[in-house]
Amino acid sequence: MKKFIAIWLVLVGIVILPAMAADTKKKEPVQHLTDEQIYEQLKKFALVFETARENFVEEADEKKMLEAAMNGMLMELDPHSSYLNADDLKDFDDKSSGSFGGIGIQITSDKGAVKVISPIDDTPAYRAGIKAGDYITHIDGEQVFDLTLNQAVKKMKGKPGTKVKLTVISEGREPRNIALTRDIIKVKSIKFEAKGDDKKIGYIRISDFGAKTAKDLKEAITALEKKKVMGYVLDVRNNPGGYLTAAIDVSDAFLDSGEIVSTRGRGKDEIDRSMAKPGDLTKGKPIVVLINHGSASASEIVAGALQDNKRALIMGSQSFGKGSVQQQKPFGDGTAIHLTIARYYTPSGKSIQGEGITPDVEVLQSKVEVIEKKKDIFSEASFKNALDKEKGKKDKDKDDDEDYSKLTDEEKEARDYQLQRGLDMVRAMAKMEGKDESSSLNKDEKKESK
């Protein structure tokens, strides 16, 4: 299978998504141009470029103008297709290798404002208490409304050890200034431990899907199996995705058979199916997968695969809904484009594009963290030009947890409502299976006594 990459455009520790708008207009049928009409449009483009370069009030930067034109052309297709110049491509490769510079925050543009998707685990932004749904209004005292998203990124990135001050607004709270010290962000995609008073529930946190995620997952499961855990909680909340191949390998680790995902391109015959290989590393033990609105792309592939194959119970809130596949096409000069080439579908044939994965058990987060919203204006469906999009609705819940960032890790875990319910569910599922075995044994014993 081709190594397609489901990516987020990364610029030095900050994940960027294009500006989004609530666009509910029905798409008109594509009217293709003739070769002659395309040639005329290209001549007009050249005329616009020359006129702007010669008459703009200041000296024009031709390279930036042309790069912006190429990027604009690709962004018109959908929110995830983009042009990467040499610097952008290097930053993406750094992110893919699991180490990059920045403050560790994933953002998008929301009607001219900078909105936080989620902080990356164990980064300056995470430790400062910045949360999903927060808005950044000022960077070092300068309003972001006067900046493009790329300009905002450049102001936030910098040499490790230097500081940047952000003005952050959370719903229902007064603006607050947060000083962050830039750092080298090392993404460790897998964390695991045995949880519960008896340390019999395997907890595995996947923060992103990188090149080493599947290998690290297998090592985590091996270690937890040695502790004879009764079941697993797989946490992919606020995980924006990563490599499609990593999502397939992660799903395969929990499956003995069945389809994991299919990708379908422009043509009717362009269908590629990925199937699970024999060998469930967890030996069929109960699994609960935690998702929320920050779970996207590769995270949704895993949740959908385990849900449709009846292998895991999905808990949390509706996922993000990014169901498209991007492929990197390099040009050999240090630049490349990322182009959406397919949609992916869960084993049951459902496209999650603009919809997301619906949990089997909806568990919204408690007020200690950002209150979850059943629907939100921020979703894949709300992006301009998003494939098969539909408008979301904004909830009025508020986050009144003002001291969450001051809590210890143990206190945060104790107040993580979704995690606690997930642990409870694994324990209940394991006990139910144990009761079934006990009942069967008693019946057999009674038959023998007769």
Side-chain angles (χ1 to χ4, degrees), residues 369-386:
E369 295 184 343
V370 176
I371 295 290
E372 294 284 352
K373 302 172 177 63
K374 293 184 180 180
K375 289 288 185 179
D376 192 273
I377 59 170
F378 166 56
S379 67
E380 169 72 10
S382 63
F383 286 134
K384 180 182 179 182
N385 304 320

Side-chain angles (χ1 to χ4, degrees), residues 363-406:
V363 180
L364 303 185
Q365 190 59 284
S366 70
K367 68 179 182 178
V368 177
E369 295 184 343
V370 176
I371 295 290
E372 294 284 352
K373 302 172 177 63
K374 293 184 180 180
K375 289 288 185 179
D376 192 273
I377 59 170
F378 166 56
S379 67
E380 169 72 10
S382 63
F383 286 134
K384 180 182 179 182
N385 304 320
L387 306 175
D388 298 334
K389 54 187 176 293
E390 73 174 24
K391 187 177 180 182
K393 296 179 181 179
K394 188 174 181 181
D395 196 291
K396 294 183 179 179
D397 289 334
K398 295 182 178 180
D399 170 29
D400 59 357
D401 167 39
E402 297 186 3
D403 297 318
Y404 181 72
S405 62
K406 299 178 182 179

Side-chain angles (χ1 to χ4, degrees), residues 15 66 68 75 79 101 111 159 170 184 231 234 241 246 248 262 266 279 281 299 314 317 324-325 370 403 429 435:
V15 177
L66 292 171
M75 288 171 59
K111 299 177 182 179
K159 185 178 180 181
S170 302
I184 295 296
L234 184 64
I248 292 170
S262 63
R266 182 170 171 178
L281 299 183
S299 300
I314 312 301
S317 54
S324 60
V325 183
V370 176
D403 297 318
M429 292 165 67
K435 286 180 181 179

Side-chain angles (χ1 to χ4, degrees), residues 15 31 35 179 237 352:
V15 177
Q31 296 183 354
D35 289 345
R237 292 174 297 174
I352 66 173

Side-chain angles (χ1 to χ4, degrees), residues 7 9 70-71 74-75 79-84 336-339:
I7 60 103
L9 176 59
M70 289 185 285
N71 202 38
L74 293 170
M75 288 171 59
H80 306 292
S81 296
S82 60
Y83 170 79
L84 300 182
I337 64 172
H338 281 128
L339 189 66

Side-chain angles (χ1 to χ4, degrees), residues 163-180:
K163 293 185 179 295
V164 60
K165 185 173 71 175
L166 306 181
T167 302
V168 178
I169 295 179
S170 302
E171 189 174 358
R173 295 173 58 179
E174 293 296 320
R176 63 192 191 279
N177 293 319
I178 300 176
L180 299 173

Side-chain angles (χ1 to χ4, degrees), residues 209-211 213-215 217-218 221 243-255 260 274-275 277 281 301-302:
F209 289 83
T213 300
K215 177 179 177 293
L217 174 69
K218 291 177 182 179
I221 294 175
Y243 290 116
L244 176 59
T245 49
I248 292 170
D249 291 341
V250 166
S251 302
D252 196 9
F254 300 102
L255 294 170
I260 294 174
S274 297
M275 308 298 293
K277 299 181 290 292
L281 299 183
I301 290 177
V302 173

Side-chain angles (χ1 to χ4, degrees), residues 114 136-148 151-152 154-156 164-167 177:
V114 173
I136 298 171
T137 62
H138 294 73
I139 303 170
D140 286 331
E142 182 178 353
Q143 288 189 4
V144 301
F145 297 99
D146 297 328
L147 305 174
T148 66
Q151 288 171 335
K154 289 179 180 178
K155 287 185 68 67
M156 282 189 276
V164 60
K165 185 173 71 175
L166 306 181
T167 302
N177 293 319

